[in-house]
Amino acid sequence: DVTRRERRPTMRDPSPLLASRPSRRYLNPSHKPAWYAARQKTITRAQKRVERRLWPIFGLAFAFDRRIDLDAAFGRSAVDRSALVLEIGCGSGEALCSLAASRPDADFVGVDWFRGGLAAAMQGLDEAGASANARLVRADAATLLRDGLEARRALDEVLVFFPDPWRGSEGRRIVRPEVVQSLSPLMQDGGRL
């Protein structure tokens, strides 16, 4: 029956399901939607071991009551480095590992929410020997930019390789006006996005 198929969406054709849901943006950025928690269940035992062993070397703790001082985290000031680079959504760290190994005079900060990806990034950074110039932060990038970094012109480059990882969901996009506005006080004059 054709009318019955039109009323009952299937996994092959989810468009009626998607059309029936209202398009909402997340109005409270400190409240994390359900998809944040769902991505944390996939960490393996090996990733947990890597996390325990390497987080003290590569990890930067983010808390709402204090901002991260990147000069203190790397043990050198802007005078001693050629650039400070932030990668938003570093995932498993392939680009971060490669860049940190090829540019030892620059400091790199990767931010991502996914623990399994950060564990893989830490392992890659350890294997690349980039413990001096790379750090990782487990946080929502928009919240970190707004509340977590010192509000001074420190960043020379901001890398966003996947600006819209979930097509069609504006709430999950990283490149949107409010995020770009929160980047402005953190970037140096002539900084690159």
Side-chain angles (χ1 to χ4, degrees):
D1 184 66
V2 175
T3 55
R4 182 175 218 169
R5 283 187 187 164
E6 289 175 4
R7 279 189 258 146
R8 296 187 68 188
T10 64
M11 290 307 289
R12 287 185 213 123
D13 182 25
S15 56
L17 279 176
L18 297 175
S20 67
R21 292 183 185 164
S23 174
R24 283 191 59 205
R25 294 184 70 151
Y26 300 107
L27 302 177
N28 184 358
S30 62
H31 173 73
K32 301 295 178 237
W35 48 267
Y36 273 101
R39 293 208 55 198
Q40 304 312 311
K41 296 177 184 175
T42 59
I43 190 166
T44 65
R45 288 182 183 155
Q47 290 170 332
K48 285 181 185 179
R49 284 192 302 270
V50 167
E51 189 179 53
R52 277 194 305 269
R53 183 172 60 90
L54 296 176
W55 186 257
I57 299 168
F58 295 106
L60 295 177
F62 170 58
F64 288 101
D65 58 344
R66 64 181 163 87
R67 294 180 180 265
I68 297 172
D69 183 11
L70 296 175
D71 290 342
F74 289 104
R76 59 181 173 181
S77 66
V79 176
D80 301 325
R81 67 174 157 247
S82 66
L84 180 59
V85 181
L86 174 71
E87 183 184 355
I88 296 175
C90 65
S92 58
E94 295 95 357
L96 188 68
C97 294
S98 175
L99 288 168
S102 67
R103 295 171 59 188
D105 56 331
D107 291 333
F108 294 87
V109 179
V111 60
D112 205 305
W113 184 256
F114 182 44
R115 281 177 63 198
L118 289 174
M122 284 186 278
Q123 189 168 7
L125 289 169
D126 188 44
E127 291 169 0
S131 61
N133 68 329
R135 299 290 180 268
L136 297 168
V137 181
R138 181 175 175 257
D140 173 50
T143 306
L144 179 74
L145 292 173
R146 191 187 64 240
D147 299 327
L149 298 175
E150 292 289 334
R152 57 182 176 189
R153 301 204 176 271
L155 298 175
D156 296 293
E157 297 175 41
V158 176
L159 307 174
V160 183
F161 293 118
F162 298 100
D164 188 9
W166 298 278
R167 288 179 288 140
S169 178
E170 290 183 24
R172 295 182 184 185
R173 269 186 209 147
I174 193 64
V175 178
R176 53 186 196 262
E178 57 269 16
V179 175
V180 174
Q181 287 174 354
S182 64
L183 263 175
S184 178
L186 300 172
M187 298 285 294
Q188 285 191 5
D189 292 334
R192 297 185 321 170
L193 172 61

